Amino acid sequence: MKNAKIHETVVVPQFRSERGNRLLRQIAKRYDLYLMLLVPIVWYLLFHYGPLYGLQIAFKNFNPGKGILGSSWVGFEHFQRFFDSYYFGRLLWNTLSINLLSLLLAFPIPIMLALLINEIRSKSYSKLLQNITYIPHFISVVVIVGILNVMLSANGPINMLIQGLGGSSVRFMESAGWFKTIFIGSNIWQNMGWQSIIYIAGLSGINPQLYEAAKMDGASRLRRIWHVSLPGIVPVIVILLILDIGQFMNIGFEKILLMQNNLNLEASDVISTFVYTTGILKGEYSYTAAIGLFNSLINLTLLLLVNRFARKTSETSLW
């Protein structure tokens, strides 16, 4: 028994040292790849995990002169203030409604566009359609909002067409009722081509023999799309859906801020713009840090729930 124990204590450290030496040899053999990997690791440590230290100001009355450690603790006072504020319901509703409509309307369109491009037999036409649809992605948000202001102004071409048909001019950009339609519609136009690229890549990886077999069985083109194309990209759809829901409470802050004015504030005031105007412009850092933390916790909760649901139902998930 004593010899067995001695043998165990000698072999285990030796085995661990061999594993460590093997790992060091692998790193030395591919040191250039590990050096490349070091850049994103340092990036995430400095700019993603490092700032988490500042989250404690959400529970303090932060004073820039005293610093984070010198500021006094107030607990959940800022969270309570936000929940009790009269604009809490409006901010939450606008943020949720814009994101929910974007998810319901904007998410399926790139999938349908990818299926359409995949079904076009002429390669020149499919490439032309793909180029036309993803070029708007490279246009600056400032330019996009400028185009919207020109096209939808009182004397713009849209209103001229409406007046030519006997209607009256509509102030689209100053109307709260039109804000969400314009914002979501312009987002779809700008991003659908770019977002369809990953679905096109997924469709290109489907075995062509599956289409031939379905065609031999007499399946129409729609049947082949439904029974071959869509099932082939379901894992991609699920992963992208999980990632989109993980960012559910985040909206295009810059675009909303550029489109926002006093007349459409009822529909355009969302959590991200409120954090900017209150936290950055008015200097209420602790209050808006609490709001941002609340926003992030909702995103995290939705991500965990949707990922768990996807893992149980489709066996496809992020982890």
Side-chain angles (χ1 to χ4, degrees):
M1 292 296 292
K2 291 182 178 180
N3 294 334
K5 291 182 179 179
I6 293 173
H7 179 71
E8 183 180 357
T9 56
V10 172
V11 171
V12 172
Q14 183 179 359
F15 176 72
R16 291 178 179 175
S17 63
E18 288 179 358
R19 290 181 58 185
N21 292 334
R22 193 182 306 116
L23 178 61
L24 290 175
R25 287 195 298 269
Q26 290 177 354
I27 293 176
K29 186 178 180 180
R30 300 294 185 184
Y31 71 95
D32 50 346
L33 299 179
Y34 284 98
L35 286 176
M36 293 175 62
L37 183 63
L38 188 63
V39 175
I41 290 176
V42 172
W43 167 268
Y44 272 92
L45 290 176
L46 289 178
F47 298 103
H48 290 269
Y49 289 98
L52 292 177
Y53 170 77
L55 284 179
Q56 58 184 299
I57 70 172
F59 306 94
K60 291 186 172 185
N61 271 331
F62 176 66
N63 187 332
K66 297 180 180 180
I68 295 178
L69 295 178
S71 302
S72 59
W73 291 93
V74 295
F76 293 93
E77 178 180 321
H78 300 300
F79 294 91
Q80 190 64 40
R81 174 188 169 189
F82 178 59
F83 297 151
D84 293 339
S85 61
Y86 71 93
Y87 44 74
F88 170 73
R90 184 179 72 180
L91 292 174
L92 190 62
W93 167 248
N94 288 339
T95 303
L96 290 174
S97 60
I98 291 176
N99 280 302
L100 184 59
L101 289 173
S102 297
L103 188 65
L104 293 176
L105 299 177
F107 186 81
I109 289 180
I111 301 174
M112 293 186 287
L113 178 61
L115 293 172
L116 174 63
I117 293 174
N118 187 63
E119 291 297 319
I120 296 177
R121 296 176 180 177
S122 174
K123 291 185 178 180
S124 58
Y125 286 133
S126 64
K127 290 182 179 179
L128 178 63
L129 177 60
Q130 190 173 358
N131 289 332
I132 291 174
T133 52
Y134 78 62
I135 283 176
H137 175 78
F138 300 99
I139 302 176
S140 169
V141 175
V142 178
V143 176
I144 293 293
V145 176
I147 293 173
L148 292 175
N149 284 323
V150 172
M151 297 293 293
L152 301 175
S153 63
N155 298 321
I158 301 299
N159 272 314
M160 291 178 63
L161 178 62
I162 293 174
Q163 292 173 359
L165 295 174
S168 56
S169 178
V170 180
R171 305 185 68 87
F172 291 100
M173 300 300 289
E174 291 81 20
S175 173
W178 279 100
F179 177 82
K180 295 176 183 178
T181 302
I182 296 171
F183 178 80
I184 296 172
S186 59
N187 274 350
I188 293 174
W189 168 72
Q190 185 179 7
N191 298 316
M192 65 178 181
W194 180 259
Q195 293 172 349
S196 68
I197 292 177
I198 190 169
Y199 297 114
I200 295 174
L203 289 168
S204 64
I206 298 176
N207 190 346
Q209 293 181 356
L210 296 176
Y211 291 103
E212 293 297 330
K215 193 174 181 180
M216 292 290 292
D217 289 339
S220 64
R221 178 170 293 187
L222 288 177
R223 287 287 183 180
R224 294 197 295 270
I225 292 174
W226 184 258
H227 293 288
V228 179
S229 298
L230 277 177
I233 60 173
V234 162
V236 179
I237 295 174
V238 172
I239 293 297
L240 293 181
L241 180 62
I242 294 172
L243 292 175
D244 280 0
I245 294 179
Q247 300 290 324
F248 187 77
M249 296 295 289
N250 298 336
I251 307 179
F253 161 74
E254 299 88 354
K255 187 175 180 180
I256 285 190
L257 191 65
L258 291 169
M259 293 177 61
Q260 192 176 82
N261 54 61
N262 292 330
L263 297 177
N264 64 21
L265 195 63
E266 182 181 349
S268 64
D269 196 17
V270 295
I271 291 178
S272 57
T273 57
F274 181 79
V275 167
Y276 169 74
T277 56
T278 306
I280 304 300
L281 300 183
K282 297 181 181 179
E284 297 190 33
Y285 304 112
S286 293
Y287 180 47
T288 50
I291 299 174
L293 181 57
F294 165 74
N295 195 61
S296 299
L297 288 175
I298 294 179
N299 281 333
L300 178 61
T301 303
L302 289 174
L303 176 63
L304 295 175
L305 292 175
V306 173
N307 186 77
R308 183 178 180 182
F309 177 77
R311 186 172 64 249
K312 289 184 175 181
T313 56
S314 65
E315 297 182 357
T316 301
S317 61
L318 293 178
W319 64 83

